[in-house]
Amino acid sequence: MRTILFAMRVLAFCLIASGCAPKEVDHNAPVTGKTPCIALIMKSLANEFFSTMAEGARKHHNDNKKTYDLVVNGMKNETDFSEQVTLIEQMVARSVQSIVIAPADSKAIIPALKRARDAGVLVINIDNRLDPNVLIEVGLTIPFVGPDNWEGAKKAGEAVARMLTKGDSVAIVEGIPTAMNSQERCRGLRDAMNDAGMNIVSSQSGQWEMEKANSIAAAMLSEYPSLKAILCANDSMALGVVAAVAASGRSADVKVTGFDNTSAVGEMIVNGRIVATVDQHGDQLAVHGIEIALSVLAGNSTPKDTTTAVDLVMRKDAR
Amino acid sequence: MKILKDHGDTVGILAVWILLVLLFGVLSDHFLSANTLTTLAGRIPALTVIAAGMTLVLIVGGIDLSVGSVLGLSSAVLGLLMVDWKVPLVISAPIAIVVGMLAGTVNGLFTVGLRIPSFLVTLGMLEICRGAAYLVTRSQTKYIGASVEPLASMLPGTTFPISFFLSVGVVVGLQVLLEKTILGRHIVAIGTNEHAVRLAGIDPRPAKILVFLVCGTCAGVGSLFHCARLGSADPNAGSGMELAAIAAVVIGGTSLLGGRGSVIKTFIGVLIVATLEAGLAQIGASEPLKRVVTGAVIIAAVSVDVFRRRCIGENV
């Protein structure tokens, strides 16, 4: 038994070491003299948004194999940020040159990132923005690359508002309340609705989940017979809401919107069951982060925060 | 008093449910309506069949933590077959059920064959099936659409979906199995005292394996209802459902220690859980409040049951 354990440890060590072991000197490589190793740390790879992001990064790496090495890590549970802290520590122990991270929590991850920076690791923040106040408090500046969730949601909200009349009842299905991107999206949706003079009758959390959103929407539809639109903070929940709307037989009256432009909603957009979603180009998000990391590692100055494009996705004739 | 002694359990939790319905009826403007009943009937079939299967497992003295993940895997397989490979529902549905059955059988074989506690085996299966579900779908939700929805459409002449009647059928079927068959007697006996069963010359192993098989199959069937309701197969489907199912079963008075329980009462437990969720959403309760109230109701319902048993002199 002990031998097996020892063998497993050796094997694990080899696996960890192999990824970023110094390689032969590459003439195109930056001043360090070896290929830099970049660690991409994401939230749950079980979430389509992040698996797409990882795929985009891997593709970029395949095309640039000589320029850098890539390690992709995701966590099991979206809300368990301690897992991300462990990943950060592991990557520092593995002496990667840079960590590109989509934080699971905007505040709680910062101390671990500070330790990484103190160990000389370049940190780039993507997707979900770290809390600016806490960053100032610990004296860190970390460049951020990511979409403006507020703007994306506002665009979707405005698109729906154009299909409604002033004073109509609408409802919002939120993501996990503690997540910054859910808060930002809901703020965008609320702003769009208030600007257009709509009446938000209910706003509840669907926990990012299809099934939860379905139940909540069913309840909202029963409670508010005059409901005209249900705005969702992501596409998964929008799918659940569409099913609830269909079950209540009010597909013609109630408009549904999503966010993320996942593959499953494509058909829904075409047949009009979801009127709008927002594409934040997840596949390019990590790539942007990696490119900035490479540029800084090559000796260029650290850029300011970069906002990536958010595009409204609707059926062509509905625009 | 005799009626209370014979059917007191059922009357007791039925009263809890009716109380809940009335409470939400007062708190919300539109809760007491045919519409709410229809929505409720539409959302419980998956949980109902899973909780029904879970009841048998708990009665036999085991536990199955993998049901939510098994539902996820069966959904994933259904989505893969119907969306990517264009296999019609009549063929993909049985395959999805068989996936659940296989997972359940593996649970049973390891639990019984190697005498590993079912808590551990099914905890492992929980991880395996969830991982497999992500692998099968490449973490993407599959939109199936109209081809899977007939199951969730209304039974002609009623305002309840077909899936609801099928799930009630499963409940009745398993209750009959439990009460009217020799196998059912064996299941209760094994849960009460497995050693005694063995001394009586009965091999408890086949019955135990069968119970896990049935539970897995129920999860497979549940996946059909789940996909039909949502029109999509979601690899995250059913996460946390094992706890909702266990809550419903325990509210229904089934003992976590085995040897006592009823599938019919589990069904009322499901009604309580679902009514609570629907009602809280309908009155627009905040997320933290929903959780606190749900937890409190679970404890209250179980307490009422235990209290009633003590009153009629049962040993709890």
Side-chain angles (χ1 to χ4, degrees), chain B residues 1-12 179 260 262 265 305 307-316:
Chain B
M1 203 59 201
K2 185 171 185 317
I3 291 177
L4 202 66
K5 193 151 190 169
D6 285 356
H7 301 284
D9 310 23
T10 322
V11 174
E179 271 190 4
R260 171 167 61 77
S262 138
K265 277 182 271 170
D305 187 48
F307 181 71
R308 192 197 53 77
R309 277 168 202 286
R310 292 222 173 102
C311 282
I312 60 171
E314 231 177 88
N315 200 4
V316 183

Side-chain angles (χ1 to χ4, degrees), chain B residues 250-272:
Chain B
V250 174
I251 288 175
T254 295
S255 166
L256 273 175
L257 302 173
R260 171 167 61 77
S262 138
V263 189
I264 299 277
K265 277 182 271 170
T266 291
F267 179 65
I268 306 176
V270 170
L271 283 178
I272 290 177

Side-chain angles (χ1 to χ4, degrees), chain B residues 74-86:
Chain B
S74 290
S75 302
V77 169
L78 189 77
L80 179 79
L81 289 171
M82 294 190 72
V83 177
D84 295 351
W85 298 353
K86 312 279 179 229

Side-chain angles (χ1 to χ4, degrees), chain B residues 95-113:
Chain B
I95 298 178
I97 295 177
V98 167
V99 168
M101 192 189 286
L102 286 177
T105 311
V106 172
N107 280 339
L109 287 175
F110 274 86
T111 303
V112 176

